[in-house]
Amino acid sequence: MMRESSFRQARWDEPLIFEMPDERPAERLTHRMDDWMRAYLERALRKLGRLPRSRLAIPDLSELTVLRHFTRLSQMNFSVSTGIYPLGSCTMKYNPLVNEVVSRNPRFTGLHPLQDSETVQGALEVLYRLERLLCKVTGMDRFTFATSAGAHAEFAACLIMRRYFSVRGDRRSTILIPDSAHGTNPASATMAGFKVEVIESDKEGCVDLRRLREAVNEDVAGMMMTNPNTLGIFERNIKEIVKTVHDSGGLLYYDGANLNAIMGLVRPGDMGFDIVHLNLHKTFSTPHGGGGPGAGPLGVKLFLEDYLPIPVVSHSPERGYYFEEPRESIGHVRSFHGNFLVCVKAYAYLLRLGWRGLREAAMTSVLASNYLLSRVTKLPGVTLPHDPSKPRKHEFVVSLLRLMREHGISAREFAKALIDYGVHPPTIYFPQTVDEAVMIEPTETEPKRELDRYVESMGDAIERVKLSKETLNELPRYSSVRRINEPMANHPKHIRLSWRASKGGRIDESRSLDKHS
């Protein structure tokens, strides 16, 4: 029997803070400042004197107004703190606040990237020790923290491949990528100047070995893949895949997006991978989303360490901890040394869990995924492609194609309806090898009662859309943001380059695209 949702999300008519009218001085009264604080602020404001406030368009608002503004925005948001967030391939797990507290220590936050290394020995030691731990987890020999996120590390890895072969006088131009890979893999390879050749999956959802052997030749620089793959299936032929690519002189790159399923259990280096990237902002304790923060440390086997981006952290009894430039480095891939505070959180996470804790986290994530899968596949219209009898790892992909054929209800309509039950919908339409794909990753931090509630919400959402086809365009009804008119929103007449160009905005209303359509 379908339950009526009791979820109601806050819906404030909240303007942008730049659109708020200035307040009178009497409305901005707050507590009295101490003399030292007043003097400090006056010195800081004098340094900003060359930036007239009127040109910056900073509103004159009280502390209370600003506090209420951002509180209301937070009430209209959804996060892991609100409820389960099972986006497949995103590992949206709960991250312990103690790691946030550690990273906000003033001895870390007060550092400047231009300080001499002798004055930041503690920070460099954290990076050095974190590198040693990540090497143990992955089976790599060296890491750099210069890369900011997964796709950034993929790009740097492709540059390393290109540099490696260039130094050897070997001009290779092709990268092999499975059809179930993340979309950033082919994009990164293309940006690095390679041609991409897609390797199809077999009927069990793994790399087709016959197709791989046909594709491998002396022009192949390497292969980019993850294991378990995006379907949540462990590549059973990983040793044969590695041997096939290595025998042709190519390199193996491991996309660390799915490491959460195997950390502490299996190491990419032991499988035969030469290059690995990790998503600290997914697997190792940093909340992510909205563009940051992120960190995608890039690890390599010993024979590739000279090609790592600048800088890497080294140590010697004479010099202590210091930054080093690898001899054949691909150079800088960003400013300074990477997102340091994200690395601090990851270090705290690893120290707190230890090797046994990592193994338990990985096994629990796989257990949660398979428990949820066993219940989801019993829902009407849901099927499991690629050998339904085979267990999945940390995530799984089901298809709603039967629901689409029998009732005309797409994965998109299902996801919109699910929002009204106070949970975040899973990833949809990815990977593209599965029709009407729904990819779910519950992670190890969700208790069984939340998993049960999620399945019940999925079942209710399916029944709701089956019974209310005429109102599908109105869903979701109870979220802060209702469904937008997508054709209208994508029309050039309604697109704004920024809030500054918005009609009725505080700055340069003449730039509104409405007036130039």
Side-chain angles (χ1 to χ4, degrees):
M1 180 178 179
M2 184 181 71
R3 299 173 302 144
E4 180 63 31
S5 173
S6 60
F7 170 73
R8 299 293 185 275
Q9 195 171 24
R11 190 178 295 165
W12 296 96
D13 185 16
E14 191 70 10
L16 296 173
I17 198 165
F18 296 100
E19 297 174 338
M20 292 182 173
D22 292 342
E23 297 176 345
R24 296 187 299 274
E27 296 175 318
R28 300 197 307 271
L29 291 178
T30 184
H31 60 276
R32 181 180 176 279
M33 273 192 260
D34 292 334
D35 292 339
W36 69 269
M37 185 181 292
R38 185 180 299 278
Y40 178 84
L41 289 175
E42 287 175 351
R43 285 198 303 272
L45 290 173
R46 278 197 297 271
K47 293 179 181 179
L48 294 173
R50 296 179 183 177
L51 297 172
R53 188 181 183 91
S54 58
R55 286 183 58 192
L56 295 176
I58 298 175
D60 246 337
L61 303 172
S62 68
E63 179 180 319
L64 177 59
T65 298
V66 173
L67 178 65
R68 285 176 175 167
H69 170 74
F70 286 106
T71 299
R72 287 168 179 166
L73 292 183
S74 72
Q75 291 171 344
M76 294 192 291
N77 202 355
F78 189 91
S79 70
V80 176
S81 303
T82 310
I84 186 172
Y85 208 127
L87 277 176
S89 234
C90 292
T91 316
M92 302 294 283
K93 59 175 154 183
Y94 172 74
N95 295 285
L97 292 179
V98 64
N99 302 330
E100 295 286 325
V101 174
V102 170
S103 71
R104 293 175 187 178
N105 187 313
R107 296 181 182 182
F108 291 135
T109 60
L111 298 179
H112 194 282
L114 290 177
Q115 283 183 234
D116 189 276
S117 60
E118 293 181 359
T119 68
V120 290
Q121 285 292 290
L124 294 182
E125 183 178 358
V126 167
L127 292 178
Y128 184 81
R129 289 179 177 272
L130 176 58
E131 179 187 1
R132 295 297 91 206
L133 289 176
L134 296 181
C135 285
K136 289 181 179 179
V137 171
T138 61
M140 294 293 107
D141 296 307
R142 289 304 308 267
F143 266 90
T144 179
F145 296 99
T147 40
S148 302
H152 193 197
E154 291 171 20
F155 176 60
C158 290
L159 294 181
I160 287 175
M161 291 189 204
R162 192 175 71 178
R163 179 70 172 158
Y164 170 75
F165 287 109
S166 176
V167 168
R168 295 157 59 94
D170 191 353
R171 302 290 179 180
R172 300 192 177 211
S173 62
T174 303
I175 294 287
L176 305 179
I177 299 178
D179 59 3
S180 64
H182 289 176
T184 50
N185 288 181
S188 298
T190 302
M191 287 180 63
F194 288 105
K195 294 180 295 184
V196 172
E197 184 168 349
V198 177
I199 306 299
E200 293 78 11
S201 300
D202 60 21
K203 62 182 181 180
E204 295 185 6
C206 296
V207 171
D208 188 324
L209 279 179
R210 181 189 58 80
R211 175 70 182 88
L212 175 63
R213 293 187 182 112
E214 291 174 353
V216 167
N217 55 51
E218 293 182 355
D219 188 52
V220 171
M223 184 171 184
M224 304 175 74
M225 59 184 297
T226 187
N227 193 24
N229 63 28
T230 307
L231 296 165
I233 300 171
F234 193 88
E235 294 282 352
R236 67 191 185 286
N237 296 319
I238 186 61
K239 287 295 184 181
E240 289 86 348
I241 294 170
V242 169
K243 185 177 186 304
T244 301
V245 176
H246 278 171
D247 284 351
S248 70
L251 301 175
L252 266 295
Y253 166 80
Y254 182 86
D255 182 327
N258 296 341
L259 186 76
N260 205 66
I262 62 171
M263 58 183 183
L265 297 166
V266 183
R267 306 194 308 174
D270 297 336
M271 296 182 208
F273 286 92
D274 307 298
I275 311 175
V276 169
H277 99 255
L278 302 176
N279 293 313
L280 298 188
H281 51 285
K282 289 173 61 173
T283 316
F284 299 107
S285 178
T286 303
H288 68 295
L298 185 65
V300 296
K301 286 292 192 178
L302 199 59
F303 74 97
L304 293 173
E305 68 170 335
D306 286 341
Y307 305 96
L308 282 170
I310 299 171
V312 295
V313 180
S314 296
H315 176 263
S316 71
E318 299 78 21
R319 297 182 59 181
Y321 298 96
Y322 60 96
F323 285 120
E324 185 179 18
E325 296 186 6
R327 288 180 298 176
E328 296 289 346
S329 174
I330 61 172
H332 288 282
V333 292
R334 60 155 291 161
S335 59
F336 302 119
H337 324 304
N339 291 335
F340 172 64
L341 295 180
V342 177
C343 297
V344 173
K345 296 175 195 177
Y347 185 52
Y349 179 84
L350 286 166
L351 289 181
R352 193 168 183 233
L353 279 186
W355 195 258
R356 182 179 298 176
L358 283 181
R359 290 168 59 91
E360 185 177 344
M363 290 188 291
T364 304
S365 73
V366 173
L367 178 63
S369 174
N370 281 279
Y371 172 72
L372 201 58
L373 174 62
S374 70
R375 296 202 57 190
V376 168
T377 49
K378 295 176 182 177
L379 297 175
V382 178
T383 59
L384 179 64
H386 300 298
D387 193 0
S389 65
K390 196 171 189 176
R392 298 313 194 245
K393 295 302 179 185
H394 65 304
E395 66 186 8
F396 60 88
V397 179
V398 294
S399 172
L400 298 190
L401 184 60
R402 181 183 296 173
L403 190 67
M404 179 70 173
R405 287 174 173 171
E406 294 177 357
H407 300 281
I409 298 164
S410 66
R412 178 174 173 272
E413 302 301 342
F414 159 75
K416 296 289 186 184
L418 192 57
I419 293 173
D420 274 346
Y421 289 87
V423 296
H424 200 285
T427 301
I428 58 174
Y429 299 121
F430 180 75
Q432 295 182 340
T433 54
V434 176
D435 294 326
E436 296 298 324
V438 173
M439 179 162 55
I440 303 176
E441 182 183 1
T443 81
E444 70 273 19
T445 58
E446 294 297 336
K448 180 178 177 293
R449 65 177 178 277
E450 283 297 321
L451 302 181
D452 291 335
R453 191 172 79 88
Y454 195 75
V455 176
E456 291 167 3
S457 297
M458 289 180 68
D460 290 340
I462 290 173
E463 290 303 316
R464 184 181 182 192
V465 293
K466 285 167 60 177
L467 295 173
S468 309
K469 291 183 182 179
E470 70 281 355
T471 61
L472 283 181
N473 289 332
E474 298 178 10
L475 302 178
R477 292 177 177 172
Y478 308 134
S479 57
S480 295
V481 179
R482 300 286 293 274
R483 180 182 297 211
I484 61 172
N485 185 323
E486 293 180 3
M488 182 179 291
N490 285 308
H491 193 283
K493 181 178 180 180
H494 300 279
I495 294 175
R496 301 290 182 271
L497 298 177
S498 73
W499 68 271
R500 294 170 183 267
S502 178
K503 184 176 180 180
R506 292 168 55 89
I507 294 181
D508 195 4
E509 292 181 18
S510 65
R511 293 175 61 190
S512 169
L513 296 185
D514 271 341
K515 300 186 179 183
H516 300 283
S517 58

